Amino acid sequence: MSMDLDDAPVPLGAATQQTAATILCCNCGAPIDGTTATGALCFNCVKLTVDISQGIQREATLNFCRDCDRWLLPPTSWIVAMPESRELLALCLKKLRGLHKVRIVDASFVWTEPHSRRIKVKLTIQDAVQDGVLLQQSFEVVYVVATQQCPECAKSYTANVWRACVQVRQKVLHKRTFLFLEQLMMKHNAHRETLNIKEAKDGIDFFFSQKNQAEKFIDFLNSVVPVTVKASQELISQDVHTSKKSYKFSYSAEIVPICRDDLVAMPIKLAKQSGNISPLVLCHKIGTSVYLMDPQTLQTADIASPIYWRAPFRSLADAHELVEFIIMDIEPTNTRRGKWVLSEATVARASDLGVNDKTYFTRTHLGNLLQPGDSAMGYLLTGTMFNNAEYEAIEESNTYSSTIPDVVLVKKYYPRRRKNRRRNWKLRRMDKDEGELLPKKADQDRMDREYEQFLRDVEEDEELRAAMALYKNEKRAEEEMSVAETEEDEDDGVPQVNMDELLDDFDELTMHDS
């Protein structure tokens, strides 16, 4: 009896085994799972035929301002980004349309020639094209760097575009305070946002494109010198439909008219309120306040800017009225205060030597610097008439009239210093627009003398040097060594600036030699 194959017994467990349904790829013929595939393509053919980067830009344009080295972040923002930085990479990704539809896996810069004005970025993205099929693809995007001037730089090259002006003034007959203020601004880069800097009578005008920039500059002034500020505004334009207005803001910043080394006659009432100091004092430093010192007792006092402007007073004498004295004899006392040593000295005017034997007795704070035979600069009060109400009140006072000295010594003087002395250091200077105030020859000579005296003060005062940035002058240093033998003894005792205090980076275009 024969048995049909269909009627053959099924082995145990064979009912649970199922064969997967497969189909062939329509492109390459490879078998694929027909139950899960939504199309007739295998995974390899999907990678070759489907472009998930379709719709994403392959070329874009980046706008760069060559004046301020900033990049345009649409629509109106300008940002600072270094080459191949994360900030620049983020800007490049924001410029591409359609990138939000896919997932970014990686992004990096591809090296290009720096002068090619091309930036290449390699992107790796992922996207799901079928159920369970996740494709990853890499491609490059080329960015063309186009130059475009930002609004701030465009305004800087156009006249009358400033929106805020800070007018710094000091009603004195010299520019010593502005020379010191200039060095502070150069060290802290406080002038970097100015559109223009213009010389004016009794001061300097600083122009800014925004009001907040001017306010920031005023904050800097308040942190370094005693000033009082007055603000005003002028309406430029007004839109009656939107009520938008455009103003120009002006700030008048007046510096206290007292400078370093000035002889000051304080109001007696203010002197009593300032620790009962003598009203005839010497200004030894200018900072956020006016720092005064009595050379007869070494007592000090500081007058804050609000207190000064409540009852302002002027200097009794300034550095232009200094007289040279010769130290005939000096005897130090036990009174000391910091670097000052109170001493009793007998001095004579340098112009009186060989003419008469007149000498003066005084007390001085320069006991640690002066020796018999040295020269010192000071103010001669005996026989001098001052048109000053505070000084007249001191002379009429029974308490203070007897304390007025004959001579007030200010600083040591080095008469053997060469006029055209070579220095191994130099200072930066600001580029200022002289405008219509072109200096005459006499004014230029006076300004040169004031600047030379300022350089000497920098050499002689370490505390003054500490607030500035001094730079090496290699050329002058070599010349100084070449003539050292012939002029070996010409500058004996003259203070020198230590090379360790000097900086090397002196490569800005707006600098001038001192």
Side-chain angles (χ1 to χ4, degrees):
M1 181 176 177
S2 63
M3 183 180 293
D4 197 331
L5 294 177
D6 295 334
D7 297 334
V10 179
L12 183 62
T16 61
Q17 296 179 357
Q18 296 181 358
T19 303
T22 59
I23 61 174
L24 299 180
C25 176
C26 66
N27 188 25
C28 64
I32 58 177
D33 190 357
T35 60
T36 59
T38 57
L41 293 175
C42 65
F43 180 73
N44 293 330
C45 292
V46 169
K47 291 195 299 182
L48 294 176
T49 57
V50 177
D51 185 10
I52 61 175
S53 65
Q54 186 176 7
I56 301 176
Q57 290 179 269
R58 297 302 179 97
E59 292 186 358
T61 302
L62 295 177
N63 299 100
F64 177 72
C65 179
R66 292 184 294 182
D67 296 321
C68 61
D69 295 339
R70 294 190 298 174
W71 302 84
L72 175 62
L73 179 61
T76 58
S77 300
W78 291 82
I79 63 172
V80 178
M82 299 299 293
E84 298 190 4
S85 63
R86 299 179 62 180
E87 293 79 8
L88 183 59
L89 183 60
L91 176 63
C92 293
L93 297 180
K94 291 179 181 179
K95 291 285 292 185
L96 296 182
R97 293 193 302 267
L99 199 60
H100 64 282
K101 299 179 180 179
V102 296
R103 178 187 177 190
I104 302 176
V105 177
D106 186 27
S108 60
F109 288 99
V110 179
W111 185 88
T112 57
E113 177 64 33
H115 301 287
S116 65
R117 310 197 70 82
R118 298 293 186 273
I119 296 178
K120 292 184 178 180
V121 177
K122 182 179 179 181
L123 295 177
T124 302
I125 60 175
Q126 287 182 351
D127 193 16
V129 294
Q130 297 179 5
D131 293 341
V133 179
L134 185 65
L135 291 185
Q136 179 171 309
Q137 185 175 350
S138 298
F139 60 97
E140 291 185 0
V141 180
V142 180
Y143 295 88
V144 179
V145 179
T147 58
Q148 177 181 344
Q149 201 172 43
C150 65
E152 288 78 8
C153 294
K155 288 181 180 180
S156 65
Y157 289 95
T158 310
N160 302 322
V161 297
W162 58 271
R163 285 295 175 264
C165 174
V166 180
Q167 302 171 346
V168 185
R169 297 290 186 270
Q170 187 184 36
K171 297 179 180 179
V172 293
L173 299 178
H174 54 80
K175 296 283 187 179
R176 296 174 58 209
T177 302
F178 287 100
L179 292 175
F180 175 65
L181 182 61
E182 177 185 9
Q183 296 305 315
L184 293 179
M185 293 174 56
M186 299 297 292
K187 181 178 181 179
H188 300 283
N189 205 16
H191 65 296
R192 64 183 180 276
E193 295 177 336
T194 56
L195 296 177
N196 190 18
I197 302 175
K198 183 180 293 186
E199 289 273 5
K201 184 180 180 182
D202 298 332
I204 305 176
D205 293 341
F206 299 88
F207 298 92
F208 299 89
S209 59
Q210 300 294 335
K211 177 185 177 182
N212 59 345
Q213 297 174 353
E215 293 175 343
K216 182 179 179 181
F217 182 75
I218 291 175
D219 292 339
F220 169 77
L221 291 178
N222 283 314
S223 65
V224 293
V225 290
V227 296
T228 179
V229 180
K230 297 180 181 179
S232 62
Q233 61 185 21
E234 178 185 359
L235 180 63
I236 302 301
S237 61
Q238 179 180 1
D239 190 345
V240 296
H241 301 287
T242 61
S243 298
K244 291 184 177 180
K245 301 178 182 180
S246 178
Y247 290 94
K248 278 189 175 182
F249 301 90
S250 297
Y251 299 90
S252 175
E254 185 175 354
I255 304 176
V256 170
I258 298 177
C259 302
R260 187 171 173 266
D261 297 337
D262 283 1
L263 184 64
V264 178
M266 298 173 58
I268 296 178
K269 181 180 179 181
L270 180 60
K272 291 181 178 180
Q273 294 174 352
S274 303
N276 200 22
I277 192 175
S278 172
L280 190 62
V281 290
L282 194 66
C283 178
H284 68 92
K285 187 175 69 172
I286 290 292
T288 54
S289 302
V290 180
Y291 297 91
L292 305 172
M293 182 262 300
D294 181 8
Q296 305 292 313
T297 61
L298 301 188
Q299 185 180 357
T300 60
D302 57 288
I303 309 298
S305 181
I307 297 177
Y308 173 85
W309 293 110
R310 211 174 295 161
F313 53 92
R314 299 185 63 86
S315 299
L316 186 63
D318 57 23
H320 289 101
E321 303 176 41
L322 289 173
V323 180
E324 182 183 353
F325 292 91
I326 304 298
I327 307 301
M328 310 302 294
D329 187 21
I330 187 168
E331 184 69 26
T333 64
N334 296 327
T335 305
R336 297 174 179 269
R337 190 182 183 95
K339 63 180 180 179
W340 299 322
V341 177
L342 184 62
S343 301
E344 297 178 348
T346 302
V347 300
R349 282 198 304 180
S351 59
D352 290 343
L353 294 181
V355 179
N356 55 57
D357 298 332
K358 190 172 184 179
T359 59
Y360 304 94
F361 174 81
T362 186
R363 294 187 176 211
T364 178
H365 62 290
L366 303 175
N368 61 327
L369 298 176
L370 298 178
Q371 299 293 333
D374 289 345
S375 297
M377 303 299 291
Y379 298 105
L380 180 61
L381 303 184
T382 301
T384 305
M385 298 296 295
F386 295 102
N387 185 15
N388 188 284
E390 283 76 19
Y391 185 72
E392 294 175 359
I394 296 173
E395 289 182 322
E396 296 173 358
S397 173
N398 297 327
T399 305
Y400 300 106
S401 59
S402 60
T403 62
I404 299 177
D406 297 332
V407 173
V408 177
L409 298 182
V410 177
K411 59 183 177 179
K412 186 176 179 179
Y413 178 60
Y414 302 90
R416 300 188 64 183
R417 186 198 298 261
R418 299 191 303 271
K419 293 183 178 180
N420 298 323
R421 183 170 177 270
R422 298 179 180 86
R423 293 183 173 90
N424 58 356
W425 57 276
K426 49 189 173 181
L427 298 174
R428 291 190 294 176
R429 301 297 305 275
M430 289 190 306
D431 283 340
K432 297 184 289 292
D433 184 7
E434 296 177 347
E436 299 178 356
L437 298 177
L438 294 176
K440 300 178 182 178
K441 186 178 184 305
D443 295 336
Q444 186 63 44
D445 294 340
R446 178 181 56 82
M447 294 169 59
D448 293 340
R449 289 194 303 269
E450 290 178 355
Y451 188 65
E452 174 62 26
Q453 183 59 48
F454 175 72
L455 296 179
R456 294 184 180 184
D457 292 340
V458 172
E459 286 179 331
E460 297 171 7
D461 194 338
E462 295 182 3
E463 185 178 354
L464 184 64
R465 278 203 307 272
M468 304 179 186
L470 279 66
Y471 296 86
K472 293 180 180 179
N473 190 353
E474 301 293 345
K475 182 178 179 181
R476 296 285 180 90
E478 295 176 359
E479 294 177 356
E480 186 74 14
M481 293 179 61
S482 64
V483 298
E485 297 180 357
T486 58
E487 299 175 344
E488 182 178 1
D489 299 327
E490 191 171 348
D491 274 354
D492 289 344
V494 176
Q496 302 286 340
V497 178
N498 193 346
M499 293 294 292
D500 297 336
E501 304 178 29
L502 305 182
L503 304 177
D504 294 324
D505 49 340
F506 189 75
D507 54 359
E508 296 189 11
L509 297 179
T510 59
M511 301 177 185
H512 305 288
D513 288 354
S514 60

